[in-house]
Amino acid sequence: MDQLEIFKALSNKTRLQILHWLKEPERYFPPQEHEDINEVGVCVGQIQQKAGLNQSTISEYLSILQKAGLLKSTRIGQWTYYKRNKEAFLALSQFITEEI
Amino acid sequence: MDQLEIFKALSNKTRLQILHWLKEPERYFPPQEHEDINEVGVCVGQIQQKAGLNQSTISEYLSILQKAGLLKSTRIGQWTYYKRNKEAFLALSQFITEEI
DNA sequence: TTGGAATATCGGAAAAAGTCGATATATCTT
DNA sequence: AAGATATATCGACTTTTTCCGATATTCCAA
């Protein structure tokens, strides 16, 4: 866990918003056409639409969040689904109370 | 609590290091000449020395951490002492597990 | 096997952050 | 009151981040 990388990933309004949405995907997104939203997460296009930024920007943001370990991704057909990585948030929470 | 501001404050190696030191000030700093280290914290000069960056840089970094609410400061005579604000870390930890 | 849809990558312009040296301010000492 | 010490602020330059449009890649469907 690279904490600095994680905090950089969290230092952006849109990325924080995305994480908030992905904490409760059913609440913020329509059911995914082909997959179970709770199983694989939400596809890039839906997140992009909701965020209202350029497609390339959102694709990169999701990649930043994933590289930091905060999201997990699954490619199914032409879609990439992103979902929250619970363990990372627990570890980060612990880091904050115990190390800094 | 402005979470974005907090995460930006945490997105810097030196600032993270400072917070780590201030979590256990007795362990990382000599006793303060004039004050109780556990009461008021550590003065800017000591932190600057340990961090090895310019005085103005450290002064600004401490100000950033304080504006984000992560540190509290006390001016006593010509010294400004900074100490960890425990409540802020607890609240942040909770935000991370509950909101994102 | 070609066209279309979803996503990823690249290159760049603008904005923000990092870091310094110089200088200002506040306070202590004499 | 003057010099010394600790900290804060300012201006400048460099590096990083933001966000876009254009293009590439991957995969599906006809």
Side-chain angles (χ1 to χ4, degrees), chain B residues 2-14:
Chain B
D2 180 342
Q3 293 89 5
L4 185 56
E5 186 180 7
I6 292 177
F7 288 130
K8 283 182 182 177
L10 295 173
S11 292
N12 176 283
K13 199 169 186 172
T14 303

Side-chain angles (χ1 to χ4, degrees), chain A residues 21-22 24-38 40-43 45-50 81:
Chain A
W21 293 333
L22 292 180
E24 297 175 82
E26 292 183 293
R27 177 169 171 189
Y28 296 105
F29 296 95
Q32 303 301 289
E33 299 260 321
H34 307 288
E35 304 295 333
D36 179 355
I37 198 171
N38 288 306
V40 297
V42 181
C43 71
Q46 301 252 356
I47 297 169
Q48 189 244 315
Q49 248 184 292
K50 201 167 172 68
Y81 297 89

